[in-house]
Amino acid sequence: MKSYVLSLAAKNILRNKRRTVLTFSMLVFGVSFYILLSALFEGFDRAAFESIINFESGHIKARSDKYDKDFPFDPENFMENSSAVMESIRKDPSVLGVAPRILFSAEMDNGLDDTPVLVTGIDPQADDSVFGLGEYFTDGSFDPTGAVVGADLAKEMSLYPGDPFYITFRTKAGAYYSLELWVAALLKSPDPAGNKTRIFIDIALASNVLGTPGAATEIAVKTDNLKTAAKTAERLRKRTSGVSIQSWDEMSHGFTQTMQTKGKMSQIILFFILIIAMIGIVNTVLISVFEKRKEIGTLKAIGFSDSEVRNIFVLEGAIVGFIGSLLGALLGALFNAYLSTVGLDYGAIMEGLGDDMGIGFLSIVRTTWNPEHYIVPVTLSTLASALAAYLPARRAMKMDPAEALRTT
Amino acid sequence: MLLEIQNLEKIYVAGEVRVNALKNITLKIKEGEFTAIAGPSGSGKTTLLNCIGLLDHPDSGQILFLGEDIVSKNPKEQAFLRRQNFGFIFQTYNLIPVLTVAENVEMPLRLLPSYEKETARQRVSEVLTAVGLSGFEDRKPLEISGGQQQRVSIARALVKKPKLILADEPTANLDSKTGESIIDLMLKINKEEGTTFLFSTHDTMVMDRAGRLILLRDGEIHEDSKKRKRK
């Protein structure tokens, strides 16, 4: 009997094709839009994570246990025993690369203007074993006597490869120090912050001028598996003392909160899609009930119970919701297939605007494939449609058969 | 006794106007009767049929079907009673347009707990042959004539072998020749299968063919000629 009620409901949706197509269209548009947006958000998140890991954090980062996150570039944050720490870290079998870095803030001066910059002292070879920064050096190459300057920063300061400039900073002892450098290369990376604010110099030069020989602000680590970095960090914590060791996911707590905010945005969009779908379904089923009053009377005369009559209309709504959202999921998958392979050139889009809109990277964003993005809207649309159909279906159920049969 | 109606009253209220659609109706219908309910428009024919078929609720009185009071049953029990024992034929046929002729006729069988596909298919074929519509199984209602649609409606009412068929003006929308053929068909079924027919009409030709004629006027039984001979 249940299957018969279902087949009657299915036949009903073909009765007014134009109306059904209109309701389908709303669902198809809404669900495909949701899928695309969710996949794009997830793609943005993944690209942003990759950017952080590739340019900022590495898989694991070790810092002095006295590290003050409110003053991250203060020379007081230096790890004095960095060589011993690196040696200890290298012993872990999961560790593929270790790179010491010295970070400090300075004023950059081209003789006309000055601007605050973040200076990073690197060991180019060691750095390449953790970060892929070297491949973004353009118009020159790393030189221990010069500096690699962020391309946007260079542009702002009207500096070109070979041009001299100064940086002024405070040494560990508190004295002000000015260092003359020259532009050895430019950095054009997908990390907009790096391009705008950073200069890279040799770590030996940095520790020499800061008066911190053998010290490092942080030690970045690359492991053989990004997903198990937290476990490796845990092992490294046991192996070392006097240092604070965190994996990328432990460090990016704030960023995951941003991701959750984006997730909530998707949920809000889904909520509005469901509201639109429900309005469409209520309208469709309400008109359907109104048009079929005589049939409702006939069905009751033949012996359909009130609940069976109601179920025909509830199922009619659910079928419309299911098929509509399924078609939407298929369309969303088609769009996604394109954007997950070809991608969206976010860098090119933002180039004209001159801003990254706070996203934190400038690369090609590829959408993701996540079954949840398909299962959730299809399931919720079907349930919401059945729910929306319930009220008009109840009206059909309560209809007096004699009165229904009197309608023309 | 198949049906016993005692002191049946039905009042319609529209604003401040009260209309006594049925007044103190008492009658008995035996199994196998072929009874016409006649009377002018507004005399209460359809209301009486609807009350007997449990499509409308009388304000007072009793309807006993096979000795059991059916008015006091709950809606679910009434629906079950309709699906098991009553067949309905409507003036406007009331076929489901999205279903084929065979699917329309099969519908009452699908509601029975004893439904079995092959047996149902055979029974549908049997009744469609009986109403002269063999070969029309796959047509949709709108693809056949009014007379043919009413035959489908009769087949649908007949298919589950109900104890009582209630027909509301079954020939009113048909021309006289087609109307007569419909009455012939109903009589044939009544004779061959012993199915009890209770139908309303204001067509004198149809009244003449009925074995019993109940004449209603202003909601009351004006005349009950039980011993009419069928022509």
Side-chain angles (χ1 to χ4, degrees):
Chain A
M1 185 62 198
K2 279 174 188 166
S3 64
Y4 185 54
V5 168
L6 184 68
S7 77
L8 285 178
K11 281 181 174 151
N12 269 345
I13 66 166
L14 298 172
R15 197 175 298 198
N16 193 323
K17 292 187 180 74
R18 192 183 294 177
R19 197 166 57 224
T20 306
V21 165
L22 191 71
T23 315
F24 275 168
S25 311
M26 286 192 285
L27 280 159
V28 168
F29 173 76
V31 170
S32 58
F33 180 68
Y34 167 79
I35 286 171
L36 200 61
L37 211 64
S38 303
L40 202 59
F41 278 167
E42 211 169 80
F44 268 111
D45 290 339
R46 195 178 58 183
F49 257 120
E50 281 170 3
S51 177
I52 288 175
I53 291 164
N54 291 338
F55 300 108
E56 286 282 334
S57 69
H59 294 185
I60 293 170
K61 197 177 268 187
R63 292 180 177 127
S64 161
D65 57 0
K66 295 187 187 77
Y67 178 82
D68 185 348
K69 65 179 179 180
D70 293 329
F71 300 98
F73 310 120
D74 192 314
E76 288 298 319
N77 288 327
F78 279 66
M79 249 183 306
E80 302 294 346
N81 56 342
S82 67
S83 300
V85 174
M86 283 195 289
E87 207 51 49
S88 181
I89 289 172
R90 276 197 193 99
K91 284 179 185 161
D92 191 283
S94 295
V95 173
L96 297 179
V98 180
R101 280 183 163 191
I102 287 178
L103 290 98
F104 60 99
S105 52
E107 278 295 306
M108 183 187 199
D109 190 338
N110 63 359
L112 292 169
D113 292 313
D114 57 66
T115 187
V117 292
L118 175 63
V119 186
T120 308
I122 59 168
D123 172 344
Q125 277 187 332
D127 216 73
D128 274 352
S129 70
V130 177
F131 302 105
L133 207 61
E135 63 182 288
Y136 299 102
F137 292 169
T138 62
D139 302 293
S141 59
F142 188 83
D143 189 295
T145 61
V148 177
V149 180
D152 293 339
L153 176 64
K155 193 177 172 187
E156 189 193 327
M157 297 297 284
S158 305
L159 290 172
Y160 298 93
D163 286 354
F165 65 92
Y166 294 89
I167 56 169
T168 306
F169 49 91
R170 288 180 76 169
T171 64
K172 196 183 177 196
Y176 283 96
Y177 192 103
S178 278
L179 175 68
E180 185 181 353
L181 292 164
W182 58 280
V183 182
L186 299 175
L187 173 73
K188 252 184 204 173
S189 77
D191 171 26
N195 299 345
K196 276 182 204 163
T197 59
R198 286 188 137 172
I199 68 169
F200 294 83
I201 61 171
D202 187 70
I203 193 166
L205 175 64
S207 61
N208 188 30
V209 294
L210 285 165
T212 56
T217 318
E218 60 187 35
I219 295 165
V221 180
K222 187 175 183 178
T223 67
D224 56 0
N225 190 343
L226 182 68
K227 287 177 184 167
T228 56
K231 282 184 184 167
T232 309
E234 183 61 43
R235 282 202 305 275
L236 295 180
R237 278 194 279 271
K238 287 174 186 160
R239 203 184 270 275
T240 53
S241 61
V243 287
S244 155
I245 293 177
Q246 283 185 304
S247 65
W248 65 275
D249 40 352
E250 289 164 341
M251 280 181 281
S252 57
H253 180 65
F255 187 71
T256 24
Q257 279 183 329
T258 314
M259 280 173 70
Q260 282 166 358
T261 310
K262 279 186 198 159
K264 275 180 189 149
M265 217 166 112
S266 298
Q267 283 167 13
I268 291 168
I269 289 164
L270 181 61
F271 173 76
F272 281 110
I273 290 165
L274 291 178
I275 293 287
I276 291 166
M278 284 175 87
I279 292 168
I281 299 287
V282 166
N283 186 44
T284 304
V285 179
L286 201 61
I287 295 170
S288 178
V289 167
F290 183 78
E291 284 175 350
K292 291 180 205 148
R293 281 171 298 172
K294 195 165 200 158
E295 273 177 45
I296 291 165
T298 307
L299 292 177
K300 288 190 174 187
I302 287 171
F304 278 80
S305 68
D306 289 349
S307 59
E308 284 160 354
V309 169
R310 179 199 62 206
N311 291 347
I312 290 174
F313 290 97
V314 170
L315 285 170
E316 188 179 326
I319 292 169
V320 172
F322 177 69
I323 296 174
S325 57
L326 201 65
L327 291 174
L330 286 174
L331 188 67
L334 274 178
F335 286 137
N336 202 21
Y338 175 78
L339 284 176
S340 65
T341 47
V342 177
L344 190 72
D345 192 346
Y346 183 68
I349 294 168
M350 292 300 125
E351 206 172 60
L353 299 174
D355 193 2
D356 68 323
M357 308 289 278
I359 301 290
F361 63 90
L362 292 168
S363 57
I364 289 178
V365 180
R366 289 190 174 81
T367 53
T368 59
W369 287 101
N370 184 345
E372 203 180 288
H373 294 161
Y374 298 82
I375 295 166
V376 169
V378 172
T379 310
L380 288 182
S381 296
T382 308
L383 289 176
S385 301
L387 189 72
Y390 187 80
L391 282 180
R394 254 179 75 87
R395 183 181 277 201
M397 178 179 110
K398 299 263 178 197
M399 210 174 268
D400 182 60
E403 204 174 307
L405 284 165
R406 272 196 289 274
T407 54
T408 51
Chain B
M1 192 62 59
L2 183 71
L3 194 68
E4 279 185 76
I5 297 167
Q6 291 163 2
N7 309 316
L8 203 69
E9 300 261 349
K10 176 71 188 174
I11 300 164
Y12 288 115
V13 180
E16 291 181 3
V17 182
R18 284 166 61 91
V19 178
N20 272 43
L22 295 174
K23 296 174 197 164
N24 200 30
I25 301 283
T26 296
L27 65 91
K28 291 179 180 178
I29 305 283
K30 285 182 196 158
E31 268 187 73
E33 276 192 19
F34 193 77
T35 306
I37 302 169
S41 291
S43 59
K45 302 187 293 291
T46 301
T47 305
L48 179 58
L49 285 177
N50 282 345
C51 286
I52 294 169
L54 301 171
L55 301 176
D56 211 344
H57 313 284
D59 291 297
S60 64
Q62 270 194 324
I63 301 173
L64 304 178
F65 182 75
L66 294 169
E68 195 183 3
D69 178 19
I70 57 174
V71 176
S72 59
K73 285 181 180 292
N74 68 39
K76 198 171 180 179
E77 289 170 333
Q78 290 186 343
F80 191 70
L81 193 83
R82 282 196 295 268
R83 77 169 65 163
Q84 295 279 356
N85 297 297
F86 298 164
F88 289 86
I89 301 167
F90 302 100
Q91 183 181 336
T92 48
Y93 332 127
N94 294 16
L95 301 176
I96 309 296
V98 287
L99 302 181
T100 63
V101 163
E103 286 168 342
N104 266 286
V105 175
E106 191 197 19
M107 188 178 254
L109 296 177
R110 296 294 299 251
L111 302 183
L112 300 177
S114 58
Y115 173 77
E116 199 272 312
K117 198 175 179 180
E118 190 48 35
T119 318
R121 199 188 61 77
Q122 281 172 13
R123 176 66 184 154
V124 168
S125 172
E126 200 178 295
V127 289
L128 280 176
T129 305
V131 300
L133 286 177
S134 182
F136 286 75
E137 286 84 354
D138 297 327
R139 301 262 188 103
K140 292 277 173 69
L142 292 175
E143 295 166 0
I144 56 177
S145 70
Q148 287 168 331
Q149 286 188 52
Q150 194 58 299
R151 283 169 184 269
V152 176
S153 169
I154 291 170
R156 182 178 66 185
L158 199 66
V159 72
K160 64 186 173 191
K161 297 183 179 171
K163 290 201 163 53
L164 174 66
I165 289 183
L166 299 160
D168 188 16
E169 307 255 13
T171 60
N173 275 14
L174 304 171
D175 61 72
S176 58
K177 196 177 165 192
T178 314
E180 196 166 353
S181 74
I182 291 294
I183 291 299
D184 285 343
L185 177 64
M186 285 165 57
L187 267 169
K188 182 173 158 245
I189 293 159
N190 171 249
K191 271 185 191 167
E192 288 175 3
E193 303 203 16
T195 310
T196 309
F197 276 85
L198 183 59
F199 55 95
S200 65
T201 186
H202 54 252
D203 183 336
T204 49
M205 178 276 292
V206 177
M207 290 178 217
D208 287 346
R209 307 289 299 275
R212 177 183 173 189
L213 179 69
I214 297 166
L215 194 62
L216 288 184
R217 190 170 289 170
D218 298 328
E220 290 178 298
I221 295 178
H222 184 68
E223 187 189 327
D224 186 351
S225 46
K226 294 180 185 175
K227 291 174 185 172
R228 290 169 64 90
K229 277 190 179 174
R230 281 183 201 155
K231 290 181 182 175

